[in-house]
Amino acid sequence: MQSLLTATARLPDAARGENDKILHANMEYVRDGLYHFTFLPTIAGSYNVAVLMGIVLEEQRVSITFSDETDRSGSFKLSFDGERVTSALAWDTSAADLARALRASLVSSHLAPTGVLTAQHLDGIRVSRTATSAGFNFDITFASFAGDIEPLSVVESSLASTSGSASISVSEEVKGEAAHIKSARAPLV
């Protein structure tokens, strides 16, 4: 695995409130191990800035299961936090369509324009699909996120089978890990 560096900025406890967001930086390699991180703060103030290096990539699995292969139908929606929700996806959606929906939900959220998520993060959402006996497993790797991230959740499902049951679940297959590289308190105005 290549090294993944990420930087986040967060207001100290006393200045938090409805603006309590972790901002992710755009990262640019300069030279000789020097990187330039750019943030877009949501409010002026001094932020705690932390640089992390990804050690283990986060992997999650979305499993769609039907009791048999007869007349399967329906759709589902996933969310990162209950707020950032994908469009409805068909029960037999492709890996590429699921990846696009996850990226689109992040881009359309109020968080993307404020620098909470960057193009680097969006490009690092990778999805593969494997057929099971009567459904699919979607394995999602968050290749541009350093550390453990909140599990996806199913916020809506209309999966059905005329002759049996249908279910969808999300599991964390590999917990992401990051190593702390450096912290600083920096005014961002």
Side-chain angles (χ1 to χ4, degrees), residues 4-188:
L4 166 68
L5 293 177
T6 190
T8 60
R10 185 176 193 165
L11 286 169
D13 289 341
R16 292 185 194 161
E18 66 182 61
N19 293 308
D20 183 22
K21 294 183 178 68
I22 296 176
L23 305 175
H24 294 273
N26 285 314
M27 181 183 73
E28 178 185 352
Y29 179 75
V30 179
R31 69 181 179 290
D32 301 325
L34 180 65
Y35 292 85
H36 182 248
F37 294 94
T38 307
F39 296 88
L40 179 60
T42 54
I43 60 174
S46 290
Y47 284 72
N48 294 324
V49 179
V51 178
L52 305 171
M53 181 174 74
I55 304 297
V56 176
L57 298 178
E58 174 86 12
E59 294 180 21
Q60 296 182 23
R61 174 173 286 167
V62 176
S63 297
I64 297 176
T65 307
F66 295 91
S67 57
D68 60 43
E69 294 185 19
T70 307
D71 297 321
R72 298 176 287 183
S73 64
S75 63
F76 63 95
K77 292 181 181 181
L78 299 174
S79 172
F80 283 91
D81 57 7
E83 216 171 287
R84 299 173 281 175
V85 179
T86 65
S87 56
L89 295 156
W91 69 272
D92 61 349
T93 194
S94 69
D97 285 345
L98 177 54
R100 270 191 291 279
L102 289 169
R103 291 179 191 125
S105 72
L106 294 174
V107 169
S108 66
S109 78
H110 70 283
L111 302 175
T114 62
V116 174
L117 295 164
T118 66
Q120 174 192 5
H121 290 98
L122 298 175
D123 292 341
I125 297 174
R126 299 185 187 133
V127 180
S128 64
R129 182 181 90 162
T130 306
T132 60
S133 60
F136 298 99
N137 284 332
F138 295 92
D139 291 313
I140 304 164
T141 302
F142 296 92
S144 304
F145 293 74
D148 189 30
I149 63 172
E150 187 175 330
L152 295 169
S153 60
V154 179
V155 292
E156 188 176 302
S157 173
S158 64
L159 300 177
S161 173
T162 55
S163 61
S165 63
S167 66
I168 181 170
S169 63
V170 178
S171 60
E172 182 179 57
E173 298 296 301
V174 178
K175 183 177 183 143
E177 294 179 25
H180 180 257
I181 302 297
K182 183 176 182 176
S183 290
R185 186 172 170 112
L188 298 175

